[in-house]
Amino acid sequence: MKRINFARVDLSANGILSSKTYQAGLNKLKETTTGTSKTLCRLMVTSGFLLAPLFSYAEVSKPNIIFIMSDDQGYGDVSAFNPNSKINTPAIDRLAAEGMMFTDAHSASAVCTPTRYGLLTGRYPWRTRLQRGVLSGETRRLPDGTLSVGDEPLIDEKTLTVAQFLKSQGYDTAMTGKWHLGFKYLLPKGSQIDKSRGKFYDAVPIGTKIVGGPIERGFDQYWGFHHARQMGTWIEQDKVTYNLENTDEMLNRITEKAVEYVSDPARKATPFFLYVPLSAPHSPVVPSKEWVGKSGINKYADFVLETNNSVERILQALDKAKLTDNTIVIFTTDNGTSPSANINQLHAAGHHPAADLRGNKADIWEGGHRVPYIVRWPNHVMAGTTYDKPVVHNSLFATSADILNVTLANNVAVDSFSILPALKGSAEQTHPIAIHASVSGHFAVRVGDWKLAACKGSCGTSAGGDNSIPMQLYNMKTDRAETTNLFNEKPEIVAQLKKQLEQAVYNGYSVDGKTGSNDVPVTIYKKSKVKSKKRGY
């Protein structure tokens, strides 16, 4: 890895922290994060407040990478991001205190499948055949009598994944959790999926082989399930090995596998990439018995507490294995909170799952896709810092390559911007453009402080919005709650953002110097719907 050294800066003028001021801040941070306090003293990294990194980037071995992503957990459902949260998440807050919080981070989409595609490929999901919604699967009887159940993989076999890239760099790659990117179950002649146990209990016969899953997309090892409608089925490698008795088993099984993987002595011999897309707190909202009632609010809040416990168990396993110092841990969520969380009940208890943001899962508004995002990398990322400019999940691919000092091919990770400069302490913008999509496939583009949503209303499931104005323009620096639509007042900004959105979409890439194309024709300006009633996600 390239050696990068940063000198200690001792200036107090021009908005640069002196080393004494920085140390005082660290001491204060330690005081304010003792126990389970929700109030974190943040060391801000903004355009006018530069922190000079005080660590030396010494020559080190390749860092391990653990990427934990919860499912349908909103921005305000992590107490480090929401000072008024009624749900305390101390393990996730520990990561925030020991690493860097990204307060303007986004999933590539406001729903599940497309977010996961962007994360693993560094490519926007709307460049594929999936223009709206999520994958759901189909059943087809083949000529030989066998049954094919599921979707064609959304990740084309010619599209490089971050797992395949890291594998090529000598990493062991593993995944435990939810895939939801398409694969096929190949059921023997005469067999079928057991649907008798209810909506979320689909049980595929034990021994059934899957085709096009994680093992064929770069992971050496895989344990988990496909999506929420098949949570009765547990897969190991490329075969079904177990049918769950109750869906509340799933989160614990995923967590146990992550802990076992980290605890294996083999982890000390080879750098590893562990991807942990959790099942919770997505519906079915099924906290295990020991967590029911713990929040005093509702089962969703209980499930968030259990999700936090999963993170805690993984961190404890890292500590016990003495792997913490050379492991990058990233925590995030795949989109905002789902209405299935009983949001009105949460509000009645004083908890706002989107914090001060508008909307929730599926929406083009911030509550749909702005997510908590934390990176901890001891001795490299300064503890207790915050980065406040837009970043997107797609960044994992380019950031991994940047850390390893590897130049990617021009047609790889075409929408992935490295956030390594931010992790080193730079206040500069890493993403010159970010593009969001709602469940209905409507676009929004973010450039600097400005966001243009190319539709009316939420373009998801939330009600509201002015139906008389064709698009929405917000200044996210002064109005992150998206209360004042400036579309009619700022035509020159609208025109510029439309131009940049069109270029990024039609060029087939958004990173300068890349080359690419869309798999299918993409329509940017779609007919708006103020509220969608579709719940198939």
Side-chain angles (χ1 to χ4, degrees):
M1 181 175 173
K2 182 169 62 177
R3 183 184 180 92
I4 306 171
N5 293 308
F6 285 87
R8 185 179 290 268
V9 176
D10 192 14
L11 299 173
S12 58
N14 300 319
I16 302 178
L17 281 183
S18 70
S19 57
K20 291 181 180 179
T21 305
Y22 168 70
Q23 188 58 50
L26 269 188
N27 293 338
K28 181 64 176 174
L29 178 67
K30 291 175 182 177
E31 295 171 5
T32 57
T33 55
T34 301
T36 59
S37 171
K38 299 177 186 177
T39 305
L40 295 177
C41 173
R42 309 308 306 171
L43 294 172
M44 298 302 294
V45 180
T46 66
S47 57
F49 194 54
L50 174 64
L51 284 179
L54 304 183
F55 297 109
S56 173
Y57 278 68
E59 191 76 36
V60 295
S61 60
K62 294 175 180 177
N64 308 312
I65 302 170
I66 299 180
F67 195 102
I68 305 171
M69 184 165 69
S70 65
D71 199 345
D72 287 8
Q73 183 175 358
Y75 186 92
D77 289 332
V78 172
S79 46
F81 287 79
N82 181 9
N84 299 313
S85 175
K86 301 300 181 184
I87 305 173
N88 195 26
T89 53
I92 303 170
D93 292 358
R94 172 194 165 186
L95 282 176
E98 296 174 353
M100 179 176 285
M101 283 173 55
F102 290 75
T103 58
D104 201 350
H106 301 262
S107 51
S109 170
V111 287
C112 176
T113 298
T115 286
R116 292 157 205 273
Y117 180 92
L119 169 66
L120 292 179
T121 67
R123 188 171 184 253
Y124 279 121
W126 40 261
R127 298 197 191 280
T128 73
R129 71 180 192 271
L130 188 68
Q131 296 294 295
R132 58 182 297 160
V134 300
L135 297 183
S136 57
E138 63 177 358
T139 300
R140 188 162 60 93
R141 183 72 63 180
L142 301 180
D144 64 357
T146 59
L147 197 65
S148 171
V149 179
D151 294 281
E152 290 294 334
L154 188 61
I155 301 176
D156 186 270
E157 61 184 359
K158 295 179 182 177
T159 300
L160 193 70
T161 67
V162 67
Q164 289 167 328
F165 164 72
L166 289 170
K167 194 171 179 178
S168 76
Q169 300 302 308
Y171 277 70
D172 185 82
T173 58
M175 174 184 169
T176 176
K178 176 178 176 178
W179 180 240
H180 209 176
L181 283 166
F183 57 61
K184 293 289 186 72
Y185 293 105
L186 297 182
L187 279 69
K189 185 176 180 178
S191 63
Q192 61 184 8
I193 291 178
D194 180 6
K195 292 181 175 291
S196 66
R197 299 188 299 170
K199 180 179 178 182
F200 296 107
Y201 288 83
D202 281 8
V204 178
I206 292 173
T208 299
K209 183 177 176 61
I210 68 169
V211 177
I215 296 298
E216 295 173 59
R217 295 299 182 269
F219 290 97
D220 293 312
Q221 299 179 74
Y222 171 62
W223 310 270
F225 69 109
H226 194 201
H227 54 72
R229 289 175 297 283
Q230 291 179 336
M231 282 184 65
T233 300
W234 178 259
I235 302 161
E236 298 195 6
Q237 299 299 89
D238 61 353
K239 286 187 179 179
V240 175
T241 61
Y242 178 69
N243 289 156
L244 277 66
E245 294 298 322
N246 297 289
T247 52
D248 63 6
E249 296 177 50
M250 183 60 76
L251 179 59
N252 183 58
R253 292 183 72 88
I254 293 168
T255 307
E256 283 183 341
K257 284 299 179 182
V259 168
E260 288 174 11
Y261 180 84
V262 168
S263 304
D264 190 328
R267 302 290 81 79
K268 295 182 183 296
T270 306
F272 65 85
F273 169 53
L274 175 61
Y275 173 42
V276 190
L278 300 171
S279 57
H282 190 288
S283 60
V285 179
V286 285
S288 57
K289 290 180 181 178
E290 66 177 293
W291 289 95
V292 173
K294 285 287 182 72
S295 70
I297 300 175
N298 66 8
K299 284 190 175 182
Y300 173 79
D302 298 338
F303 215 12
V304 171
L305 293 181
E306 188 173 6
T307 301
N308 175 79
N309 178 254
S310 290
V311 175
E312 182 176 17
R313 290 163 63 186
I314 295 169
L315 297 182
Q316 288 174 343
L318 266 180
D319 291 341
K320 187 175 181 180
K322 300 188 184 307
L323 293 169
T324 299
D325 286 348
N326 193 38
T327 301
I328 299 170
V329 178
I330 301 171
F331 173 84
T332 190
T333 73
D334 66 342
N335 45 245
T337 304
S338 169
S340 64
N342 199 334
I343 291 175
N344 288 338
Q345 196 172 54
L346 295 173
H347 286 173
H351 177 75
H352 294 271
D356 58 338
L357 305 175
R358 188 179 189 183
N360 44 246
K361 177 183 179 178
D363 296 344
I364 202 65
W365 293 327
E366 294 291 285
H369 49 80
R370 188 184 290 211
V371 292
Y373 195 95
I374 302 166
V375 180
R376 185 187 73 177
W377 188 10
N379 303 315
H380 294 270
V381 172
M382 203 178 302
T385 49
T386 301
Y387 183 80
D388 69 348
K389 295 183 176 59
V391 300
V392 181
H393 280 167
N394 299 7
S395 62
L396 176 64
F397 205 143
T399 304
S400 300
D402 209 1
I403 288 170
L404 299 175
N405 198 26
V406 175
T407 300
L408 296 171
N410 288 346
N411 63 346
V412 171
V414 297
D415 300 304
S416 183
F417 295 94
S418 172
I419 63 170
L420 184 58
L423 297 177
K424 292 178 181 178
S426 171
E428 295 301 311
Q429 180 174 273
T430 60
H431 287 54
I433 186 172
I435 300 174
H436 318 307
S438 73
V439 65
S440 55
H442 286 86
F443 288 104
V445 59
R446 176 76 180 276
V447 176
D449 294 330
W450 292 100
K451 173 184 175 180
L452 177 69
C455 61
K456 306 169 186 176
S458 73
C459 291
T461 60
S462 296
D466 186 346
N467 202 38
S468 67
I469 303 177
M471 296 186 188
Q472 303 168 73
L473 178 70
Y474 301 106
N475 185 313
M476 300 311 298
K477 184 175 183 179
T478 59
D479 182 26
R480 80 179 209 159
E482 298 172 286
T483 60
T484 306
N485 185 358
L486 299 173
F487 178 82
N488 290 331
E489 286 77 10
K490 302 285 185 181
E492 70 287 352
I493 295 177
V494 169
Q496 181 59 38
L497 291 177
K498 288 176 68 175
K499 180 180 178 181
Q500 290 175 272
L501 173 60
E502 291 164 6
Q503 287 177 337
V505 171
Y506 297 141
N507 285 348
Y509 60 89
S510 60
V511 178
D512 284 346
K514 293 291 186 178
T515 59
S517 61
N518 300 322
D519 300 345
V520 298
V522 179
T523 301
I524 297 176
Y525 305 110
K526 304 173 178 70
K527 184 178 179 180
S528 292
K529 291 183 179 179
V530 174
K531 186 177 180 181
S532 169
K533 294 184 179 180
K534 187 171 182 178
R535 292 289 193 273
Y537 55 85

